[in-house]
């Protein structure tokens, strides 16, 4: 569905400047922004993906990953098309790297799904919330491709969801503008942030981003101004961001600006797309990153994409006892009683109650990503 954008300004010669992400694209008539989901039509900016869902999936919230947010609950997760990064090793490239969206109002826009394995279906905000209720979900999550570029739709949906007591979550690269963040801030509960590396050189190489520190400032605003629950993930790519300087930089920034209790998920890279020639990350590199995080003062550091590793679990920072045992994002044991360690009583920073009821079979439409 096409809809006029809510954050843009009109410029001379019928050009427009988009203010949704930090690229702030200046777009000429009939042209698209970098994400290919926003088009200038006769001097106005339109989103081409309002309600256009390429993927929906019901899964444990841990798969985002969010380990300290409504543990054991189910989230109805939505993805659309396009991205403002298009990373070299994107695991969801079939939907994120689509370069043109069908727009029936514009003669210059043609259907081009050569990079996509699916056509989207329209799901209204009310239908999305209805689906969450139907499938006994506790919340809604926008993920798979970058939710920032879906601003208008996610905003309308989260406003409705919050009136019906669902939690809301963005799985994001963090390249959102302050203006856009402040629109969703009152309605978004959790901000699961990718910090992909810790240098401009890395971000320029991986995602064509000249200044990654704007991502950090946005995250700090989400945490401190809007009180969003935040967890950080770093996918460690051999030869790209596995050096000690970048890992120390990420861990130190989390400690100093988000707090020592902020979970850091250090995940194993799996070869995809233009980085398919790179082998999966050795586990010892992930363990090294975890040690760096511990030395920086972080209390909750998790290893991802290594099922069965002890660092999938949550341990009490005080008495070191095992509190939450996990295997491949499923909770096997839960010893966090009333927000405190069951052994020593130390307060454990977890948002929401543990949903310990039996999970129903997962349901998916189209693509099936974690």
């Amino acid at each position: 569905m096409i809809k006029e954008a809510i954050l843009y300004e009109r410029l001379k010669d019928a050009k427009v400047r988009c203010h949704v992400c930090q690229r702030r694209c200046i777009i000429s008539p009939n042209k698209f922004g970098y994400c290919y989901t926003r088009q200038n039509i006769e001097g106005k900016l339109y989103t081409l993906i309002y309600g256009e869902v390429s993927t929906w999936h019901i899964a444990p919230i841990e798969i985002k990953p969010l380990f300290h947010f409504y543990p054991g609950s189910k989230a109805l997760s939505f993805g659309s098309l396009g991205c403002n990064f298009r990373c070299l090793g994107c695991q969801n490239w079939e939907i994120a790297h689509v370069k043109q969206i069908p727009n029936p109002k514009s003669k210059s826009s043609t259907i081009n799904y050569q990079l996509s394995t699916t056509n989207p279906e329209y799901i209204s905000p009310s239908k999305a919330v209805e689906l969450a209720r139907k499938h006994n979900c506790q919340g809604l999550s926008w993920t798979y491709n970058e939710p920032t570029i879906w601003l208008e739709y996610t905003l309308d949906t989260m406003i409705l969801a919050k009136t019906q007591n669902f939690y809301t979550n963005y799985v994001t690269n963090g390249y959102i503008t302050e203006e856009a963040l402040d629109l969703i801030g009152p309605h978004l509960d959790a901000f699961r942030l990718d910090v992909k590396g810790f240098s401009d050189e890395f971000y320029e190489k991986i995602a064509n981003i000249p200044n990654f520190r704007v991502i950090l400032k946005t995250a700090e605003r989400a945490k401190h101004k809007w009180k969003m629950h935040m967890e950080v993930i770093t996918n460690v790519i051999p030869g790209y961001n596995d050096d000690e300087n970048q890992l120390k930089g990420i861990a130190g920034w989390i400690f100093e600006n988000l707090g020592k209790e902020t979970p850091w998920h250090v995940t194993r890279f799996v070869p995809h797309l233009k980085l398919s020639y790179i082998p999966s990350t050795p586990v010892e590199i992930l363990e090294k990153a975890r040690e760096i995080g511990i030395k920086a003062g972080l209390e909750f550091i998790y290893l991802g994409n290594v099922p069965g590793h002890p660092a999938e679990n949550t341990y009490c920072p005080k008495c070191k006892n095992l509190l939450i045992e996990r295997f491949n994002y499923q909770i096997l044991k839960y010893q966090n009683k009333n927000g405190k360690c069951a052994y020593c009583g130390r307060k454990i920073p977890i948002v929401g109650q543990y949903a310990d009821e039996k999970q129903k079979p997962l349901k998916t439409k189209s693509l099936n990503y974690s």
Side-chain angles (χ1 to χ4, degrees), residues 3-9 17-27 33 35 37-38 45-47 49 83-84 146-154 170 172-184 218:
K3 188 171 184 176
E4 186 174 359
I6 58 177
L7 279 181
Y8 75 97
E9 63 176 306
R17 179 185 282 115
C18 179
H19 290 298
V20 171
C21 94
Q22 295 281 359
R23 290 188 185 277
R24 297 188 187 272
C25 295
I26 295 177
I27 309 170
C35 65
T37 70
R38 292 173 181 269
L45 185 64
Y46 289 85
T47 172
I49 57 171
C83 187
N84 57 350
E146 175 53 43
T148 294
I149 62 172
W150 218 4
L151 177 68
E152 292 81 4
Y153 176 69
T154 61
Y170 257 25
T172 178
N173 60 34
Y175 211 51
I176 190 171
T177 62
E178 286 190 359
E179 304 97 293
L181 180 69
D182 289 349
L183 283 177
I184 62 177
T218 300

Side-chain angles (χ1 to χ4, degrees), residues 3 25 74 158 189 217 238 320 343 347 368:
K3 188 171 184 176
C25 295
K74 294 185 294 184
M158 68 178 66
D189 297 311
K217 293 299 181 184
K320 310 303 181 185
Y343 301 96
K347 184 178 179 181
N368 190 10

Side-chain angles (χ1 to χ4, degrees), residues 101-174:
I101 312 299
N103 175 7
K105 289 189 66 176
S106 175
K107 294 180 181 179
S108 66
S109 178
T110 58
I111 297 177
N112 182 357
Y113 284 115
Q114 80 276 16
L115 294 180
S116 179
T117 60
T118 181
N119 289 344
E121 64 173 307
Y122 178 75
I123 297 179
S124 68
S126 59
K127 178 65 174 180
V129 175
E130 179 186 331
L131 281 170
R133 185 184 303 105
K134 175 182 177 182
H135 294 292
N136 299 310
C137 294
Q138 287 72 48
L140 291 87
S141 179
W142 296 278
T143 177
Y144 307 126
N145 68 315
E146 175 53 43
T148 294
I149 62 172
W150 218 4
L151 177 68
E152 292 81 4
Y153 176 69
T154 61
L155 176 61
D156 288 348
T157 307
M158 68 178 66
I159 289 173
L160 180 60
K162 293 305 295 178
T163 66
Q164 300 187 34
N165 297 317
F166 290 101
Y167 65 66
T168 55
N169 162 237
Y170 257 25
V171 175
T172 178
N173 60 34

Side-chain angles (χ1 to χ4, degrees), residues 23 26 28 39 49 81 84 97 103 130 138 161 163 166 201 203 209 222 258 310-311 316 320 324 342 350 355 365:
R23 290 188 185 277
I26 295 177
S28 298
Q39 185 178 16
I49 57 171
L81 295 169
N84 57 350
H97 288 210
N103 175 7
E130 179 186 331
Q138 287 72 48
T163 66
F166 290 101
E201 180 184 6
Y203 266 91
I209 297 299
L258 302 182
C316 176
K320 310 303 181 185
I324 306 174
I350 292 180
K365 181 266 174 186

Side-chain angles (χ1 to χ4, degrees), residues 53-307:
V53 176
S54 68
T55 308
W56 64 268
H57 186 198
I58 301 165
I61 193 67
E62 283 79 10
I63 209 167
K64 303 303 163 193
L66 283 168
F67 280 9
H68 289 213
F69 184 78
Y70 291 87
S73 68
K74 294 185 294 184
L76 181 60
S77 303
F78 292 103
S80 188
L81 295 169
C83 187
N84 57 350
F85 269 25
R86 299 200 295 275
C87 295
L88 296 179
C90 179
Q91 67 173 359
N92 293 337
W93 63 270
E94 294 98 330
I95 59 174
H97 288 210
V98 169
K99 290 189 175 181
Q100 206 161 326
I101 312 299
N103 175 7
K105 289 189 66 176
S106 175
K107 294 180 181 179
S108 66
S109 178
T110 58
I111 297 177
N112 182 357
Y113 284 115
Q114 80 276 16
L115 294 180
S116 179
T117 60
T118 181
N119 289 344
E121 64 173 307
Y122 178 75
I123 297 179
S124 68
S126 59
K127 178 65 174 180
V129 175
E130 179 186 331
L131 281 170
R133 185 184 303 105
K134 175 182 177 182
H135 294 292
N136 299 310
C137 294
Q138 287 72 48
L140 291 87
S141 179
W142 296 278
T143 177
Y144 307 126
N145 68 315
E146 175 53 43
T148 294
I149 62 172
W150 218 4
L151 177 68
E152 292 81 4
Y153 176 69
T154 61
L155 176 61
D156 288 348
T157 307
M158 68 178 66
I159 289 173
L160 180 60
K162 293 305 295 178
T163 66
Q164 300 187 34
N165 297 317
F166 290 101
Y167 65 66
T168 55
N169 162 237
Y170 257 25
V171 175
T172 178
N173 60 34
Y175 211 51
I176 190 171
T177 62
E178 286 190 359
E179 304 97 293
L181 180 69
D182 289 349
L183 283 177
I184 62 177
H187 318 289
L188 188 63
D189 297 311
F191 197 82
R192 211 288 283 131
L193 174 70
D194 279 27
V195 178
K196 297 177 181 293
F198 212 75
S199 74
D200 288 334
E201 180 184 6
F202 169 80
Y203 266 91
E204 182 75 41
K205 184 183 298 184
I206 206 78
N208 193 29
I209 297 299
N211 177 14
F212 82 98
R213 292 189 181 275
V214 296
I215 294 170
L216 310 183
K217 293 299 181 184
T218 300
E220 291 163 24
R221 188 178 184 87
K223 171 78 173 183
H224 300 299
K225 178 178 175 63
W226 294 112
K227 311 302 180 186
M228 294 180 194
H229 174 75
M230 188 166 296
E231 302 192 23
V232 176
I233 185 171
T234 302
N235 191 28
V236 180
I237 307 172
Y240 277 78
N241 62 351
D242 59 345
D243 58 282
E244 193 167 298
N245 286 340
Q246 289 197 72
L247 296 172
K248 281 184 176 180
I250 297 169
W253 170 76
I254 295 172
F255 179 84
E256 293 174 9
N257 296 281
L258 302 182
K260 64 181 181 180
E261 295 181 336
T262 302
W264 185 26
H265 300 267
V266 182
T267 62
R268 190 179 200 181
F269 168 78
V270 177
H272 278 88
L273 201 57
K274 293 181 180 179
L275 299 184
S276 60
Y277 66 93
I278 297 176
S280 294
T281 318
V283 175
E284 55 267 28
I285 296 297
L286 303 180
E287 293 172 338
K288 171 190 169 185
R290 186 169 186 270
E291 285 300 315
I292 287 172
I294 291 171
K295 289 179 180 178
L298 300 181
E299 294 183 336
F300 301 99
I301 307 163
Y302 299 103
L303 300 193
N305 294 336
V306 192

